[in-house]
Structures are given as C-alpha cells and as structure tokens.
Amino acid sequence: MLTSSIWLDLRLLRSPDCNPVLEEHFRPLSSIKDASYPQIVMFIGKKAKTLHLADIFSVRNTLDHNKIHLNNVTGYNESQSPILVADCEMHDMSRWKKALARTRLGETEHHSLRWCSIDSNSAPTLVYSQLVLPFSTLACFFASDFGGTRKVASILASWLVVMSNTVSKQPIAVNSKILIVVDWDDISTFDEKLITIEFMQQLRQETDKRRSSLMQKNKDPLSNNEFNELLRGQFGDVRVVPLLRIGNEDVGIRSKQVDRLRTRILQESQDVQNLRISARMAFSAHHLKSLFHSACIHFAKDIVTPFEFIKAARIENPIPWDFHLHLATLMKLSKPPFLMLFVAPVIASALALDAYPRKMHSKCTQKICCNDLRLL
C-alpha cells in the first residue's frame, strides 16, 4: 500500500481537547490531469472487498487500513475520463487514532468536526453518504464483509433517512448508483431481478425501522409510492450482482466472472457519467479538487445542510447586489431585433465564463476567448 493513496482519515488532534478531525490528503487528486473528467467508484467492505479489488482493477491496499484510499486504475489513468477507486474501510475503525501535531503544508489539512463526538460511530457513515457519494458515480458494497445483504440494507437505510432530511441541489438524474456484490456458488442459478427485489424488501424494512427510531411521532410505514420516491431522490439505481465465492470455484470460470463484473462496474459508472455530462454536472479534475476541498470544509461545519456546488464555486466571486440593474440597463439599450441576436448570447457567454472559479479556465477556453476578442 502506498501512503500517497491515502485520501481521507478520521483522527483526534493532539491537543488538550482531543478534537475529532477529518484529515484530507491532497496527493491522490493532485496526480490527475486537470483537463480530464474522472469517475470515482467506491468499493466498501473489508477482506472480500480487498481481494476482489485486486482481481477486478489490480489495486492492492493492505487489509484493515480503516481509511479511504483513492487509487488510479491502471489502463484508464491516461484516458479523458480516468477511473478512480475509493477504497473505503473507514466504517471498520475500532477507535480514533491520534493525528499528527502539524499538517504538512500542501499535502494534508485537518478539518475540525464541530458536530462530532468521539463516542459517536456515525462519522464514517456520514463521510460516505454526505461527502464521498455525491462526487462518485457508483458505490459497490461487498455483502460478505457485512455478514450478508441485511446489514448492507441497514447501512443504505441510514443513508436514505439522513439524506431525505436535506434538500439536495443536484438534479435527480445525476445521482450515484448502488451495486451490491454477493458471493454465489452457482452463477447459473442467480436471478438478478428476483434477488434485487428481495433486497429492496429488506431495504424498505430497514428504512421503516430507521424512520421509526428517529421520528417517534411518525411510525407509519412508507407507502410504495413514498418509498420509491425516497429511493429515486437519493440513488440513481440499486442492483444486486453475483461473484463466485473465493476458494470455491474453477479458476477459469472465476476469471470470466471477474471480467463480467469489471465490465458491469465500468458500464454503470459510465452511464452515470454520461448523465452528468448532459446535465453539465461532470467535473473536470481541476474543478473536482477545488470543489471537494470546499465540501470537506462544509462537512466539518454542517451535516444538516447539503453541500451546494454552485454556491461553493462562487465563494470568491459573489454575485453583485446590483447585478439585475446592469442586466436591465443592457436590455433597455438594445432594440428588440438585437435582444436574441446580441444581448442573449452576450449574457449567456458572460454567465458561462463567470461560472468558473478563478484560475480554473482551461487553456482551450482562454484561446477561444482570445480569438473571439480579435474578431470584435
């Protein structure tokens, strides 16, 4: 395991108060080309996850690291849309470890978790659901690491209930997909549709339990429409897929199954990426670095209000209070034929360029701007 792949960790500051902190490491994202549009796939589990991750994407991290590592997948890191695997074991941490007395400038940063108690075990779950998932295209759970699908359903139910109490600013179409990988002895007997339906029943039961425990005044089970609406509002899709049990299979057959699962993961991730491209929600690596850092800062302060991508992009470039007056003046100075031919394109162009945080325009955009100016 390379220490440079450590992305996120939960620690205690070496101070009298021993404050919990989220430790953000910048190196994993800094190695990605700024002009690329990466896809982040979460692998959540423990031993089985680690073994399958090595088989599927040749990513090898040590067991029991209790952190989140971010690894480039060999063979895809030079593409326009590289695949990054977030190796997640933060949920398995048994105790809070002490952080370094000082962060390394440009390499790490500590975000003090104002809302967190060291006695609480909710921090890892919230890191997954509120911080990493919105930037990911796909989250893969390895059910055998959780003792079966029931525990996975319980985890996802907690995500659903927590996220349903906030109003996300993202379009529903760009939500991440969920894939639950189960060990199976005979793939020919696996019915994905049937097994997924059975899992969804578990998820609904666990969601009702979670809502009852958190909302004493509302213990009524969700109706079919309410559950489907809740699910649609948080996840792009939920599916259960098989993989031959390790140690109980023919090597050749298992190799084919691994290839099939790899293809499925890549396709599901790419489907979400395509939707995000259409919705203008696919971030370049340059934007990803800046926005994710802003998300870490927001997460440390507030777990009730969802992170707003647009608001974060304008932190250093707020909209002037008299912006609407300038627009009105420009429109008054233009005659009707020029409103659509000149005014509308100018406003759209200005908004598009101004939507980028400072110093985040690509060289290509700069060249286009220079060429356009020469024509004026």
Side-chain angles (χ1 to χ4, degrees):
M1 177 186 63
L2 299 175
T3 56
S4 61
S5 70
I6 297 175
W7 189 25
L8 298 170
D9 195 6
L10 290 172
R11 296 273 184 167
L12 291 179
L13 277 182
R14 294 181 184 273
S15 64
D17 297 331
C18 291
N19 295 327
V21 297
L22 174 70
E23 192 172 82
E24 179 188 6
H25 294 250
F26 302 121
R27 188 173 295 179
L29 285 176
S30 66
S31 62
I32 309 168
K33 293 181 179 179
D34 285 345
S36 64
Y37 288 78
Q39 302 174 44
I40 297 178
V41 178
M42 300 172 68
F43 271 53
I44 306 171
K46 196 175 179 184
K47 183 178 180 180
K49 174 269 305 172
T50 301
L51 296 174
H52 292 321
L53 184 53
D55 288 342
I56 297 170
F57 287 129
S58 300
V59 172
R60 291 174 172 80
N61 292 324
T62 58
L63 285 169
D64 303 320
H65 57 71
N66 301 332
K67 304 175 181 65
I68 299 180
H69 285 254
L70 190 66
N71 302 89
N72 276 294
V73 175
T74 304
Y76 301 91
N77 50 347
E78 295 298 325
S79 70
Q80 181 63 20
S81 189
I83 305 297
L84 307 178
V85 171
D87 181 357
C88 303
E89 285 190 13
M90 190 177 281
H91 61 280
D92 198 51
M93 67 179 227
S94 57
R95 60 186 178 86
W96 292 77
K97 296 179 181 179
K98 295 283 186 172
L100 296 173
R102 294 181 180 178
T103 57
R104 287 164 289 187
L105 185 63
E107 293 187 17
T108 60
E109 184 169 330
H110 287 154
H111 304 281
S112 181
L113 303 178
R114 301 178 183 179
W115 47 266
C116 184
S117 167
I118 60 174
D119 298 325
S120 173
N121 58 2
S122 63
T125 298
L126 292 171
V127 170
Y128 289 169
S129 61
Q130 295 200 20
L131 184 56
V132 181
L133 186 67
F135 289 89
S136 303
T137 50
L138 182 69
C140 299
F141 285 84
F142 291 82
S144 61
D145 285 333
F146 297 93
T149 56
R150 174 65 69 171
K151 180 60 177 177
V152 176
S154 177
I155 294 171
L156 288 178
S158 70
W159 291 16
L160 280 174
V161 172
V162 169
M163 292 189 293
S164 67
N165 292 327
T166 62
V167 180
S168 175
K169 303 296 183 180
Q170 287 190 196
I172 290 178
V174 304
N175 285 339
S176 310
K177 291 188 177 184
I178 307 294
L179 213 60
I180 298 98
V181 182
V182 297
D183 289 342
W184 209 261
D185 292 319
D186 185 359
I187 299 298
S188 64
T189 65
F190 187 87
D191 186 328
E192 180 178 326
K193 184 177 180 180
L194 178 61
I195 301 300
T196 298
I197 290 174
E198 291 176 354
F199 175 79
M200 297 305 290
Q201 292 173 344
Q202 293 179 346
L203 179 56
R204 180 171 178 174
Q205 292 167 3
E206 293 298 324
T207 302
D208 284 333
K209 284 183 187 178
R210 183 73 59 166
R211 291 177 71 253
S212 296
S213 63
L214 293 178
M215 309 172 190
Q216 297 297 327
K217 62 181 180 180
N218 184 7
K219 294 186 178 182
D220 294 332
L222 291 168
S223 66
N224 288 336
N225 288 338
E226 288 173 334
F227 177 70
N228 291 333
E229 191 66 22
L230 176 63
L231 200 66
R232 191 176 72 90
Q234 308 303 333
F235 304 140
D237 194 15
V238 178
R239 292 287 172 177
V240 182
V241 295
L243 189 61
L244 282 171
R245 197 182 307 275
I246 295 176
N248 186 32
E249 74 285 340
D250 177 86
V251 175
I253 296 177
R254 175 168 170 76
S255 178
K256 291 181 180 179
Q257 289 299 319
V258 168
D259 290 342
R260 183 176 298 177
L261 180 57
R262 182 191 304 111
T263 300
R264 177 68 177 272
I265 289 172
L266 292 174
Q267 186 59 59
E268 297 284 2
S269 178
Q270 187 60 54
D271 288 346
V272 175
Q273 183 76 343
N274 290 339
L275 290 172
R276 290 183 177 180
I277 291 173
S278 298
R280 304 294 178 90
M281 289 293 292
F283 304 124
S284 69
H286 206 149
H287 284 83
L288 175 61
K289 296 168 192 175
S290 178
L291 290 172
F292 187 79
H293 180 62
S294 296
C296 288
I297 296 172
H298 173 83
F299 176 78
K301 298 176 182 177
D302 185 358
I303 56 171
V304 176
T305 307
F307 176 68
E308 295 186 29
F309 291 93
I310 296 175
K311 185 176 180 180
R314 301 200 63 89
I315 288 176
E316 296 183 3
N317 189 21
I319 298 175
W321 67 269
D322 58 347
F323 181 67
H324 65 290
L325 298 177
H326 292 290
L327 287 181
T329 300
L330 176 62
M331 296 182 71
K332 287 178 181 179
L333 293 173
S334 304
K335 295 181 179 180
F338 294 97
L339 287 176
M340 294 303 297
L341 295 176
F342 175 72
V343 177
V346 167
I347 293 175
S349 176
L351 290 174
L353 290 175
D354 195 50
Y356 290 88
R358 289 187 297 173
K359 299 181 180 180
M360 294 180 72
H361 297 85
S362 67
K363 294 180 180 179
C364 179
T365 306
Q366 292 172 358
K367 289 180 180 178
I368 292 173
C369 292
C370 291
N371 290 336
D372 288 345
L373 289 173
R374 292 192 192 101
L375 296 176
L376 296 178

